[in-house]
Amino acid sequence: VTLEKADYEKDRDDPALKDQIHTYARAATYYIGLNQTHYAPFKNAKVRQAFAHAIDKDAIVKNVLLGINRRAEGVIPEGLPGFDENFKGYPYDPEKAKRLLAEAGYGSGKKLPPLTLTVRQQQPDLIKAAMMVKEQLAAVGVEIGLKEMEWGAFLQATDNKEIDFFHMRWMADYPDPQNFLSLLLGSGSPENRTGYANPAFDALCREADALGDLTKRLALYAKAERMVVDDAPWIPLYYQRDVELIKPHVEGLQDCLQGHLPRHTVSVE
């Protein structure tokens, strides 16, 4: 059973269950998407960068996720080829966020048009994280609303680029940077939910996608990732780590970044 963090706290404090708790890294990144299609301020990189500086990822990881998940610096999650331990994204810097908003012409943030952060409904950890983002943005003068949406409707709306500001996850279809960079942020890609379009980024990804040499591919993807993190159509928040309660009579579990796969060795004694 995969646990929400509130369930984890309860089971962690239960002597009969605490030794049955296991944590697994997954090839997935949780992020905030800033859709440039409809919301005019998000067309300005300074506004997107201000939002990135306003969000305290460490506070979210500590207070919502109980320190289990890892703060995300980039788009590519831990464990995938191309993940860089030394990569750094935007640091939490509310004063710089305020300066960037002012430079973009939005004063203290009060001049921004109304904005709502949308999140999948009935997902307590996601909703709590979104509430913290709302509080952190308010601290730099940006007041936003929150909205929960049924998953099917949410997925369809983001597919159609109808949601301006959203909290979402991408889990790898296959363990390669292409699945996060080219697929999710390339111009014209059906999975690009933010309207991000950068010809230089596209060119790096196209070249990397076509190469067979892994070392050369990863070097190009590294440049592309740096570029897209700096442009901030995404604000990567944290990488997925599953907390699971596994009974001792379940044996033979194998694990990889995409789950307990394969399953042919599992038995229940």
Side-chain angles (χ1 to χ4, degrees), residues 30-261:
Y30 285 83
Y31 67 95
I32 300 289
L34 287 70
N35 183 2
Q36 302 166 45
T37 307
H38 307 108
Y39 192 71
F42 285 163
K43 297 179 186 296
N44 188 325
K46 287 187 175 181
V47 174
R48 302 193 304 270
Q49 292 161 358
F51 275 52
H53 279 303
I55 294 176
D56 186 349
K57 302 174 188 180
D58 290 333
I60 292 171
V61 168
K62 177 182 177 181
N63 298 320
V64 175
L65 305 170
L66 307 180
I68 292 168
N69 296 72
R70 178 173 180 166
R71 165 197 172 112
E73 298 285 354
V75 174
I76 299 170
E78 57 181 335
L80 255 69
F83 174 74
D84 182 356
E85 289 280 353
N86 299 314
F87 186 96
K88 297 297 179 187
Y90 284 108
Y92 174 55
D93 190 339
E95 293 307 313
K96 188 167 185 179
K98 293 176 185 178
R99 290 198 301 273
L100 286 167
L101 287 170
E103 290 171 13
Y106 294 101
S108 64
K110 302 293 185 184
K111 295 181 181 179
L112 286 169
L115 183 64
T116 296
L117 177 59
T118 303
V119 63
R120 180 179 178 178
Q121 71 177 17
Q122 297 179 338
Q123 299 288 311
D125 291 345
L126 297 185
I127 295 163
K128 290 174 185 175
M131 291 173 67
M132 285 204 72
V133 169
K134 174 181 168 68
E135 293 170 4
Q136 292 165 2
L137 288 173
V140 301
V142 178
E143 300 289 344
I144 66 168
L146 288 180
K147 179 180 179 180
E148 296 179 46
M149 185 177 286
E150 184 274 328
W151 175 237
F154 182 43
L155 195 61
Q156 183 65 52
T158 53
D159 278 346
N160 295 335
K161 299 183 178 66
E162 296 168 356
I163 299 180
D164 295 328
F165 194 43
F166 53 92
H167 180 18
M168 205 169 189
R169 177 197 77 155
W170 180 261
M171 185 167 187
D173 298 304
Y174 50 93
D176 191 275
Q178 181 192 53
N179 194 230
F180 282 80
L181 296 170
S182 311
L183 182 71
L184 299 179
L185 292 154
S187 302
S189 171
E191 292 290 349
N192 183 339
R193 301 166 191 271
T194 65
Y196 179 65
N198 181 334
F201 173 84
D202 291 341
L204 286 168
C205 288
R206 279 196 303 271
E207 185 178 355
D209 292 348
L211 289 175
D213 186 306
L214 181 60
T215 301
K216 292 179 180 178
R217 289 182 71 234
L218 294 182
L220 291 168
Y221 285 134
K223 291 181 181 179
E225 184 178 29
R226 174 79 275 164
M227 187 178 294
V228 79
V229 169
D230 288 347
D231 281 347
W234 273 31
I235 303 172
L237 290 182
Y238 51 91
Y239 304 123
Q240 182 169 332
R241 283 183 177 166
D242 289 352
V243 181
E244 299 181 10
L245 191 64
I246 301 174
K247 293 296 183 182
H249 52 260
V250 177
E251 298 182 353
L253 277 176
Q254 297 186 69
D255 194 69
C256 71
L257 284 170
Q258 292 176 280
H260 297 303
L261 300 170

Side-chain angles (χ1 to χ4, degrees), residues 1-50:
V1 178
T2 301
L3 305 177
E4 291 285 341
K5 299 306 181 289
D7 297 325
Y8 164 74
E9 286 185 293
K10 180 185 66 176
D11 292 348
R12 179 195 61 191
D13 296 334
D14 186 334
L17 297 176
K18 64 183 180 67
D19 292 335
Q20 298 173 22
I21 296 173
H22 303 268
T23 304
Y24 300 94
R26 295 287 176 246
T29 302
Y30 285 83
Y31 67 95
I32 300 289
L34 287 70
N35 183 2
Q36 302 166 45
T37 307
H38 307 108
Y39 192 71
F42 285 163
K43 297 179 186 296
N44 188 325
K46 287 187 175 181
V47 174
R48 302 193 304 270
Q49 292 161 358

